[in-house]
Coordinates of all heavy atoms in Angstrom, one line a residue:
M1 N 6.8 25.1 12.9 CA 7.6 24.0 12.4 C 8.9 24.0 13.1 O 9.6 25.1 13.1 CB 7.7 24.1 10.9 CG 8.4 22.9 10.3 SD 8.3 22.8 8.5 CE 9.2 24.2 8.0
R2 N 9.4 22.9 13.7 CA 10.7 22.9 14.3 C 11.8 23.1 13.2 O 11.6 22.7 12.1 CB 10.9 21.6 15.0 CG 10.1 21.4 16.3 CD 10.3 20.1 16.9 NE 9.8 19.0 16.1 CZ 10.5 18.0 15.6 NH1 11.7 17.8 16.0 NH2 9.9 17.1 14.9
D3 N 12.9 23.6 13.7 CA 14.0 24.0 12.7 C 14.5 22.7 12.0 O 14.9 22.8 10.9 CB 15.1 24.7 13.5 CG 16.0 25.4 12.6 OD1 15.5 26.0 11.6 OD2 17.2 25.4 12.8
K4 N 14.5 21.6 12.7 CA 15.1 20.4 12.1 C 14.1 19.5 11.4 O 14.4 18.5 10.9 CB 15.8 19.5 13.2 CG 17.0 20.2 13.8 CD 17.8 19.3 14.7 CE 19.1 20.0 15.1 NZ 19.9 19.2 16.0
T5 N 12.8 20.0 11.4 CA 11.8 19.3 10.6 C 12.1 19.3 9.1 O 12.4 20.4 8.6 CB 10.4 19.9 10.9 OG1 10.1 19.8 12.3 CG2 9.3 19.2 10.1
R6 N 12.0 18.2 8.5 CA 12.2 18.1 7.1 C 10.9 17.8 6.4 O 10.1 17.0 7.0 CB 13.3 17.0 6.7 CG 14.6 17.4 7.2 CD 15.7 16.5 6.6 NE 15.4 15.1 6.9 CZ 16.2 14.1 6.4 NH1 17.2 14.4 5.6 NH2 15.9 12.9 6.7
L7 N 10.7 18.3 5.3 CA 9.5 18.0 4.5 C 9.8 17.0 3.4 O 10.8 17.1 2.8 CB 8.9 19.3 3.9 CG 8.4 20.4 4.9 CD1 7.7 21.5 4.1 CD2 7.5 19.8 5.9
F8 N 8.8 16.2 3.2 CA 8.9 15.2 2.0 C 7.6 15.3 1.2 O 6.5 15.3 1.8 CB 9.2 13.8 2.5 CG 10.5 13.6 3.1 CD1 10.8 13.8 4.4 CD2 11.6 13.1 2.3 CE1 12.0 13.6 5.0 CE2 12.8 12.9 2.8 CZ 13.1 13.2 4.2
A9 N 7.8 15.4 -0.1 CA 6.6 15.4 -1.0 C 6.4 14.1 -1.6 O 7.3 13.4 -1.9 CB 6.9 16.5 -2.1
R10 N 5.1 13.7 -1.7 CA 4.8 12.4 -2.2 C 3.6 12.5 -3.1 O 2.6 13.2 -2.8 CB 4.5 11.4 -1.1 CG 4.2 10.0 -1.5 CD 4.0 9.1 -0.3 NE 2.7 9.3 0.3 CZ 1.7 8.6 0.1 NH1 1.8 7.5 -0.6 NH2 0.5 8.8 0.7
I11 N 3.7 12.0 -4.3 CA 2.6 12.0 -5.3 C 1.9 10.6 -5.1 O 2.5 9.6 -5.2 CB 3.1 12.1 -6.7 CG1 3.9 13.4 -6.9 CG2 1.9 12.1 -7.7 CD1 3.1 14.7 -6.8
V12 N 0.6 10.7 -4.9 CA -0.2 9.4 -4.9 C -0.6 9.1 -6.4 O -1.4 9.8 -7.0 CB -1.5 9.6 -4.1 CG1 -2.3 8.3 -4.1 CG2 -1.1 10.0 -2.7
G13 N 0.2 8.2 -7.0 CA 0.2 8.0 -8.4 C -1.2 7.8 -9.0 O -1.5 8.3 -10.1
E14 N -2.0 7.0 -8.3 CA -3.3 6.6 -8.9 C -4.3 7.8 -8.9 O -5.3 7.8 -9.6 CB -3.9 5.4 -8.2 CG -4.1 5.6 -6.7 CD -3.0 5.1 -5.9 OE1 -1.8 5.1 -6.4 OE2 -3.2 4.8 -4.7
R15 N -4.0 8.9 -8.1 CA -4.9 10.0 -8.1 C -4.4 11.1 -9.1 O -5.2 11.9 -9.6 CB -4.9 10.7 -6.7 CG -5.6 9.9 -5.7 CD -5.8 10.8 -4.5 NE -6.1 10.0 -3.3 CZ -5.9 10.4 -2.1 NH1 -5.3 11.5 -1.8 NH2 -6.2 9.6 -1.1
C16 N -3.2 11.1 -9.5 CA -2.6 12.1 -10.3 C -3.2 12.1 -11.7 O -3.2 11.0 -12.3 CB -1.1 12.0 -10.4 SG -0.3 13.2 -11.5
Q17 N -3.8 13.2 -12.2 CA -4.4 13.3 -13.5 C -3.5 14.1 -14.5 O -4.0 14.4 -15.6 CB -5.8 13.9 -13.4 CG -6.7 13.0 -12.6 CD -7.0 11.6 -13.2 OE1 -7.2 11.5 -14.4 NE2 -6.9 10.6 -12.4
G18 N -2.4 14.5 -14.0 CA -1.4 15.2 -15.0 C -1.8 16.6 -15.3 O -1.4 17.1 -16.4
H19 N -2.4 17.3 -14.4 CA -2.7 18.7 -14.7 C -1.4 19.6 -14.8 O -1.4 20.7 -15.3 CB -3.6 19.3 -13.6 CG -4.8 18.6 -13.4 ND1 -5.9 18.7 -14.2 CD2 -5.2 17.7 -12.4 CE1 -6.9 17.9 -13.7 NE2 -6.4 17.3 -12.7
A20 N -0.4 19.1 -14.1 CA 0.9 19.8 -14.1 C 0.9 21.1 -13.3 O 1.8 21.9 -13.4 CB 1.5 20.0 -15.5
R21 N -0.1 21.3 -12.5 CA 0.0 22.5 -11.7 C 1.2 22.5 -10.7 O 1.8 23.5 -10.4 CB -1.3 22.6 -10.9 CG -2.5 23.0 -11.7 CD -3.7 23.3 -10.9 NE -4.9 23.4 -11.7 CZ -6.1 23.7 -11.2 NH1 -6.2 23.9 -9.8 NH2 -7.1 23.8 -11.9
C22 N 1.4 21.3 -10.2 CA 2.5 21.2 -9.2 C 3.9 21.5 -9.9 O 4.7 22.2 -9.3 CB 2.6 19.8 -8.6 SG 2.7 18.5 -9.9
V23 N 4.0 21.1 -11.1 CA 5.3 21.4 -11.9 C 5.4 22.9 -12.2 O 6.4 23.4 -12.1 CB 5.3 20.5 -13.2 CG1 6.6 20.9 -14.0 CG2 5.3 19.0 -12.8
A24 N 4.2 23.5 -12.5 CA 4.2 24.9 -12.8 C 4.6 25.7 -11.6 O 5.3 26.7 -11.7 CB 2.9 25.3 -13.3
I25 N 4.1 25.3 -10.4 CA 4.4 26.0 -9.2 C 5.8 25.7 -8.6 O 6.5 26.6 -8.2 CB 3.3 25.7 -8.1 CG1 2.0 26.2 -8.6 CG2 3.7 26.1 -6.7 CD1 0.8 25.7 -7.8
A26 N 6.2 24.5 -8.7 CA 7.5 24.1 -8.1 C 8.3 23.1 -9.0 O 8.4 21.9 -8.7 CB 7.2 23.5 -6.7
P27 N 8.8 23.6 -10.1 CA 9.6 22.7 -11.0 C 10.8 22.2 -10.3 O 11.4 21.1 -10.8 CB 9.9 23.6 -12.1 CG 9.9 25.0 -11.6 CD 8.8 25.0 -10.6
E28 N 11.3 22.8 -9.2 CA 12.4 22.3 -8.5 C 12.0 21.0 -7.7 O 12.9 20.2 -7.4 CB 12.9 23.3 -7.4 CG 13.2 24.6 -7.9 CD 12.0 25.6 -7.9 OE1 10.9 25.1 -7.9 OE2 12.3 26.8 -7.8
L29 N 10.8 20.8 -7.5 CA 10.3 19.7 -6.6 C 9.6 18.6 -7.4 O 9.5 17.4 -6.9 CB 9.4 20.2 -5.5 CG 9.9 21.3 -4.6 CD1 8.9 21.7 -3.6 CD2 11.2 20.7 -3.9
F30 N 9.0 18.9 -8.6 CA 8.2 18.0 -9.3 C 8.5 18.0 -10.8 O 8.9 19.0 -11.3 CB 6.7 18.3 -9.1 CG 6.3 18.4 -7.6 CD1 6.1 19.6 -7.1 CD2 6.2 17.3 -6.9 CE1 5.7 19.7 -5.7 CE2 5.8 17.4 -5.5 CZ 5.6 18.6 -4.9
E31 N 8.3 16.8 -11.4 CA 8.5 16.7 -12.8 C 7.4 15.7 -13.3 O 6.8 14.9 -12.6 CB 9.9 16.1 -13.1 CG 10.2 14.8 -12.5 CD 11.6 14.3 -12.7 OE1 12.4 15.0 -13.4 OE2 12.0 13.3 -12.1
L32 N 7.2 15.8 -14.6 CA 6.2 14.9 -15.3 C 7.0 13.8 -16.0 O 8.1 14.0 -16.6 CB 5.4 15.6 -16.3 CG 4.5 16.7 -15.7 CD1 3.7 17.3 -16.9 CD2 3.6 16.2 -14.6
D33 N 6.4 12.6 -16.0 CA 7.0 11.5 -16.8 C 6.5 11.5 -18.2 O 5.7 12.4 -18.6 CB 6.8 10.1 -16.1 CG 5.4 9.7 -16.0 OD1 4.5 10.3 -16.8 OD2 5.1 8.8 -15.2
E34 N 6.9 10.6 -19.0 CA 6.5 10.6 -20.4 C 5.0 10.4 -20.6 O 4.4 10.7 -21.7 CB 7.2 9.5 -21.2 CG 7.0 8.1 -20.8 CD 7.8 7.7 -19.6 OE1 8.6 8.5 -19.0 OE2 7.7 6.5 -19.1
L35 N 4.3 10.0 -19.6 CA 2.8 9.8 -19.7 C 2.1 11.0 -19.1 O 0.9 11.1 -19.1 CB 2.4 8.5 -18.9 CG 2.9 7.2 -19.5 CD1 2.5 6.1 -18.6 CD2 2.5 7.0 -20.9
G36 N 2.8 12.0 -18.6 CA 2.2 13.2 -18.1 C 1.9 13.1 -16.6 O 1.2 14.0 -16.1
N37 N 2.3 12.1 -15.9 CA 2.1 11.9 -14.5 C 3.2 12.5 -13.7 O 4.4 12.4 -14.1 CB 1.9 10.5 -14.1 CG 0.7 9.8 -14.7 OD1 -0.4 10.4 -14.7 ND2 0.9 8.7 -15.3
A38 N 2.9 13.2 -12.6 CA 3.8 13.9 -11.8 C 4.6 12.9 -10.9 O 4.1 11.9 -10.4 CB 3.2 14.9 -10.9
H39 N 5.9 13.3 -10.6 CA 6.7 12.6 -9.7 C 7.5 13.6 -8.9 O 7.9 14.6 -9.4 CB 7.7 11.6 -10.4 CG 7.0 10.6 -11.1 ND1 6.6 9.4 -10.6 CD2 6.6 10.5 -12.4 CE1 5.9 8.6 -11.5 NE2 5.9 9.3 -12.6
A40 N 7.8 13.3 -7.6 CA 8.6 14.1 -6.8 C 10.1 14.0 -7.2 O 10.6 12.8 -7.3 CB 8.4 13.8 -5.3
R41 N 10.8 15.1 -7.3 CA 12.2 15.0 -7.5 C 12.9 14.8 -6.2 O 12.3 14.9 -5.1 CB 12.7 16.4 -8.1 CG 12.2 16.7 -9.5 CD 12.8 18.1 -9.9 NE 12.3 18.5 -11.2 CZ 13.0 18.3 -12.3 NH1 14.1 17.6 -12.3 NH2 12.5 18.7 -13.5
L42 N 14.2 14.5 -6.2 CA 15.0 14.5 -5.0 C 14.5 13.4 -4.0 O 14.6 13.6 -2.8 CB 15.1 15.8 -4.4 CG 15.6 17.0 -5.2 CD1 15.4 18.3 -4.5 CD2 17.1 16.8 -5.7
H43 N 13.9 12.4 -4.5 CA 13.3 11.3 -3.6 C 12.3 11.9 -2.7 O 12.1 11.4 -1.6 CB 14.4 10.6 -2.9 CG 15.4 9.9 -3.8 ND1 15.2 8.9 -4.6 CD2 16.7 10.3 -4.0 CE1 16.3 8.5 -5.3 NE2 17.2 9.4 -5.0
G44 N 11.7 13.0 -3.1 CA 10.7 13.7 -2.3 C 11.2 14.7 -1.3 O 10.4 15.4 -0.7
L45 N 12.5 14.7 -1.0 CA 13.0 15.7 -0.1 C 12.8 17.1 -0.6 O 13.1 17.5 -1.7 CB 14.5 15.4 0.2 CG 15.2 16.4 1.1 CD1 14.6 16.3 2.5 CD2 16.7 16.2 1.1
V46 N 12.2 17.9 0.3 CA 12.0 19.4 0.0 C 13.2 20.1 0.6 O 13.3 20.2 1.8 CB 10.7 19.9 0.6 CG1 10.5 21.3 0.3 CG2 9.5 19.1 0.0
P47 N 14.0 20.7 -0.2 CA 15.2 21.4 0.3 C 14.7 22.6 1.1 O 13.7 23.2 0.9 CB 16.0 21.9 -0.9 CG 15.5 20.9 -2.0 CD 14.1 20.6 -1.7
K48 N 15.6 23.0 2.0 CA 15.3 24.2 2.8 C 15.1 25.4 1.9 O 15.8 25.6 0.9 CB 16.5 24.6 3.7 CG 16.7 23.5 4.9 CD 15.6 23.6 5.9 CE 15.7 22.6 7.0 NZ 14.5 22.4 7.8
G49 N 14.1 26.2 2.2 CA 13.8 27.4 1.3 C 12.7 27.1 0.3 O 12.2 28.1 -0.2
L50 N 12.4 25.9 0.1 CA 11.3 25.5 -0.9 C 10.1 25.0 -0.2 O 9.1 24.6 -0.8 CB 11.8 24.5 -1.9 CG 12.9 25.0 -2.8 CD1 13.4 23.9 -3.7 CD2 12.5 26.2 -3.6
E51 N 10.0 25.1 1.1 CA 8.8 24.6 1.9 C 7.5 25.3 1.4 O 6.5 24.6 1.2 CB 9.0 24.8 3.4 CG 10.2 24.0 4.0 CD 11.5 24.8 4.0 OE1 11.6 25.8 3.3 OE2 12.4 24.4 4.8
A52 N 7.6 26.6 1.3 CA 6.3 27.3 0.9 C 5.8 26.9 -0.5 O 4.6 26.7 -0.7 CB 6.6 28.8 0.9
K53 N 6.8 26.6 -1.4 CA 6.4 26.1 -2.7 C 5.7 24.8 -2.6 O 4.8 24.4 -3.4 CB 7.6 26.1 -3.6 CG 7.9 27.4 -4.3 CD 8.9 27.2 -5.4 CE 9.1 28.4 -6.3 NZ 9.9 28.1 -7.5
A54 N 6.3 23.9 -1.7 CA 5.7 22.6 -1.6 C 4.3 22.6 -1.1 O 3.4 22.0 -1.6 CB 6.6 21.8 -0.6
W55 N 4.1 23.5 -0.1 CA 2.7 23.6 0.5 C 1.8 24.2 -0.6 O 0.6 23.8 -0.7 CB 2.7 24.4 1.7 CG 3.3 23.8 2.9 CD1 4.5 24.2 3.6 CD2 2.9 22.6 3.6 NE1 4.7 23.3 4.6 CE2 3.8 22.4 4.7 CE3 1.8 21.7 3.4 CZ2 3.6 21.3 5.5 CZ3 1.7 20.7 4.3 CH2 2.6 20.4 5.3
L56 N 2.3 25.2 -1.3 CA 1.4 25.8 -2.4 C 1.0 24.8 -3.5 O -0.1 24.8 -3.9 CB 2.2 27.0 -3.0 CG 1.4 27.9 -3.9 CD1 0.2 28.5 -3.2 CD2 2.3 29.0 -4.5
A57 N 2.0 24.0 -3.8 CA 1.7 22.9 -4.8 C 0.6 22.0 -4.3 O -0.3 21.6 -5.0 CB 3.0 22.2 -5.2
K58 N 0.8 21.6 -3.1 CA -0.3 20.7 -2.5 C -1.6 21.4 -2.5 O -2.6 20.7 -2.9 CB 0.1 20.4 -1.0 CG -0.9 19.6 -0.3 CD -0.5 19.3 1.1 CE -1.7 18.7 2.0 NZ -2.2 17.5 1.5
A59 N -1.7 22.6 -2.1 CA -3.0 23.3 -2.1 C -3.6 23.5 -3.5 O -4.8 23.6 -3.6 CB -2.8 24.7 -1.4
N60 N -2.8 23.4 -4.5 CA -3.3 23.7 -5.9 C -3.5 22.4 -6.6 O -3.8 22.4 -7.8 CB -2.3 24.6 -6.6 CG -2.6 26.0 -6.3 OD1 -3.4 26.7 -6.9 ND2 -1.9 26.5 -5.3
C61 N -3.3 21.2 -6.0 CA -3.5 20.0 -6.7 C -5.0 19.7 -6.7 O -5.5 19.4 -5.6 CB -2.7 18.8 -6.1 SG -3.1 17.3 -6.9
P62 N -5.7 19.7 -7.8 CA -7.2 19.5 -7.8 C -7.6 18.1 -7.5 O -8.7 17.8 -7.2 CB -7.6 19.9 -9.2 CG -6.4 19.7 -10.0 CD -5.2 20.0 -9.1
E63 N -6.6 17.1 -7.6 CA -7.0 15.7 -7.3 C -6.6 15.3 -5.9 O -6.7 14.1 -5.6 CB -6.2 14.8 -8.4 CG -6.5 15.3 -9.8 CD -8.0 15.1 -10.2 OE1 -8.7 14.3 -9.6 OE2 -8.3 15.8 -11.2
L64 N -6.1 16.2 -5.1 CA -5.6 15.8 -3.8 C -4.6 14.6 -3.9 O -4.5 13.7 -3.0 CB -6.7 15.4 -2.8 CG -7.8 16.5 -2.7 CD1 -8.9 15.9 -1.8 CD2 -7.3 17.8 -2.2
A65 N -3.7 14.7 -4.9 CA -2.8 13.7 -5.2 C -1.4 14.0 -4.6 O -0.5 13.2 -4.7 CB -2.6 13.5 -6.7
L66 N -1.2 15.1 -3.9 CA 0.1 15.5 -3.4 C 0.0 15.6 -1.9 O -0.7 16.4 -1.3 CB 0.4 16.9 -4.1 CG 1.8 17.3 -4.3 CD1 1.9 18.5 -5.1 CD2 2.5 17.5 -3.0
D67 N 0.9 14.8 -1.3 CA 1.0 14.8 0.1 C 2.3 15.4 0.5 O 3.3 15.2 -0.1 CB 1.0 13.4 0.7 CG -0.4 12.8 0.8 OD1 -1.4 13.6 0.8 OD2 -0.5 11.6 0.8
I68 N 2.3 16.2 1.6 CA 3.5 16.7 2.2 C 3.6 16.0 3.6 O 2.7 16.1 4.4 CB 3.5 18.2 2.4 CG1 3.2 18.9 1.0 CG2 4.8 18.7 3.0 CD1 4.3 18.8 0.0
L69 N 4.7 15.4 3.9 CA 5.0 14.7 5.1 C 6.1 15.5 5.9 O 7.1 16.0 5.3 CB 5.5 13.3 4.9 CG 4.6 12.4 4.0 CD1 5.3 11.1 3.7 CD2 3.3 12.2 4.6
E70 N 5.8 15.7 7.2 CA 6.8 16.4 8.0 C 7.5 15.3 8.9 O 6.9 14.6 9.6 CB 6.1 17.4 8.9 CG 5.5 18.5 8.2 CD 4.8 19.5 9.1 OE1 5.5 20.2 9.9 OE2 3.6 19.7 9.0
Q71 N 8.8 15.3 8.9 CA 9.6 14.3 9.7 C 10.7 15.0 10.5 O 11.2 16.0 10.1 CB 10.2 13.3 8.8 CG 9.2 12.4 8.1 CD 9.8 11.3 7.3 OE1 11.0 11.3 7.1 NE2 9.0 10.4 6.8
Ligands
SF4_101 S1 -1.2 19.0 -9.7 FE1 -1.8 17.1 -8.8 S2 -2.9 15.9 -10.4 FE2 -1.8 17.6 -11.4 S3 0.2 16.7 -12.0 FE3 0.5 17.6 -10.0 S4 0.1 15.9 -8.6 FE4 -0.8 15.3 -10.5

């Protein structure tokens, strides 16, 4: 990964079933709304130092509802 590459997390809302695994792994990056659906914090921007948590959350989403974009 290039040094200036930024990661963005995105939840595909219609796939999210609210297991909250992403929130348990990376509460800095994800939160649940009042219906239990996940949303990315910080407009999806993954701060430096939290990249590994973002990838781990993606790997642990059983609904494949979590995308990580590299820009
Ligand atoms: S782990 Fe996946 S399905 Fe579960 S709340 Fe997070 S994004 Fe939604």
Side-chain angles (χ1 to χ4, degrees):
M1 187 168 65
R2 287 178 294 125
D3 197 38
K4 292 190 176 176
T5 299
R6 294 192 301 176
L7 298 186
F8 289 87
R10 185 175 73 101
I11 305 289
V12 182
E14 58 269 23
R15 289 192 196 154
C16 178
Q17 297 297 313
H19 306 280
R21 291 189 189 181
C22 55
V23 177
I25 291 169
E28 306 92 334
L29 302 177
F30 305 104
E31 61 188 351
L32 298 182
D33 66 18
E34 62 278 1
L35 298 177
N37 296 312
H39 298 275
R41 295 178 182 268
L42 307 171
H43 305 289
L45 176 64
V46 177
K48 293 289 180 195
L50 293 178
E51 294 92 342
K53 276 193 169 186
W55 290 116
L56 188 62
K58 173 181 169 62
N60 279 274
C61 176
E63 307 297 336
L64 305 179
L66 207 167
D67 281 339
I68 304 292
L69 309 173
E70 297 181 62
Q71 294 185 348

